Amino acid sequence: MNMRIKLAMVFIPLGLFIAAVPESKTKAVKSGPDKILSEVRTNSHLITTDAVADMLIQKDPGMVLIDVRSKGEFDAYHIPGAVNIPIDNILADEWAGYFDQLAKMNVLYSNGNSKATEAWMLLRQKGYKSNYVMQGGMNYWAETIMNPEKPASTSPDDEIARYNFRKAAGGVLGGGAIAPADNKVPAPAPAPVPRRPKKKRAAGGC
């Protein structure tokens, strides 16, 4: 299968999803389908599980983890510190305070990439910019952070260092509490770590 067909299989369903969003959810649309698809193609909306784990360990107040799965799935297990906002209710007025701001970075996650990406697109259509998707979702979180696979002793130093970080992070964040799902997602390509919006300097003073 050539690359053009593979890309079509990915982006055509995303385009159809955007077109199928009910009008009631897009009346305040600020970002068009072309712009959103362009951002999806560059993976600029993704953040790695390593970056999320590091910010959790650092207790970074600038990150808000948002679990877009159902309440039942959230109650069964969720990443420590996450807030549950199911995708079906994500555009409700009661949650607008989380998304209509630039001071904090929201990281959306589901079991894999698809539901969280759908939620990200709904929010992006509304013009909200401070939202990202945890790459690979809970399945990849369980595989890489909760249960990292030990590399061979002959592995490159950076691979061993990554394993040591993940093992330590898993221990801090409850490693082994969940097992990787049977339907593992393939290891995604590294995603850039997005920059958080800079705080505006207060006017006046010395």
Side-chain angles (χ1 to χ4, degrees):
M1 186 179 298
N2 63 41
M3 184 58 69
R4 181 173 297 179
I5 295 176
K6 289 181 180 178
L7 291 174
M9 291 177 65
V10 172
F11 293 118
I12 289 177
L14 290 177
L16 292 174
F17 169 77
I18 293 172
V21 174
E23 183 179 356
S24 60
K25 293 185 176 183
T26 61
K27 57 185 179 181
V29 168
K30 296 181 180 178
S31 298
D34 291 344
K35 181 175 178 58
I36 293 173
L37 285 175
S38 175
E39 294 180 35
V40 171
R41 287 191 183 102
T42 60
N43 288 335
S44 60
H45 67 302
L46 297 179
I47 182 170
T48 66
T49 52
D50 289 331
V52 172
D54 184 56
M55 284 187 279
L56 285 174
I57 292 171
Q58 300 297 330
K59 301 185 187 303
D60 190 330
M63 181 185 72
V64 179
L65 263 180
I66 297 178
D67 189 323
V68 301
R69 301 176 302 160
S70 68
K71 184 179 183 303
E73 291 175 296
F74 179 83
D75 289 342
Y77 181 80
H78 59 269
I79 298 175
V83 177
N84 183 217
I85 305 180
I87 185 173
D88 292 341
N89 200 34
I90 202 162
L91 296 181
D93 291 342
E94 63 181 302
W95 304 118
Y98 280 91
F99 305 115
D100 192 11
Q101 51 83 28
L102 294 174
K104 293 191 175 185
M105 178 179 72
N106 297 318
V107 177
L108 314 174
Y109 73 83
S110 184
N111 290 325
N113 273 337
S114 59
K115 284 293 183 184
T117 299
E118 289 178 16
W120 175 84
M121 287 193 292
L122 287 171
L123 295 168
R124 196 71 189 87
Q125 283 186 303
K126 296 282 286 184
Y128 301 143
K129 298 179 179 178
S130 299
N131 304 295
Y132 298 88
V133 171
M134 187 174 77
Q135 196 170 23
M138 284 292 291
N139 290 339
Y140 199 58
W141 173 266
E143 184 179 329
T144 58
I145 304 300
M146 297 293 100
N147 301 285
E149 183 176 351
K150 186 176 182 179
S153 59
T154 55
S155 299
D157 289 346
D158 60 342
E159 188 174 338
I160 292 176
R162 183 163 55 246
Y163 165 75
N164 288 335
F165 164 77
R166 289 173 171 177
K167 184 179 179 181
V172 173
L173 300 172
I178 56 174
D182 292 336
N183 55 338
K184 292 181 181 178
V185 296
V193 177
R195 296 180 179 178
R196 256 179 293 152
K198 293 182 179 178
K199 294 182 179 179
K200 293 183 178 179
R201 181 174 297 177
C206 299

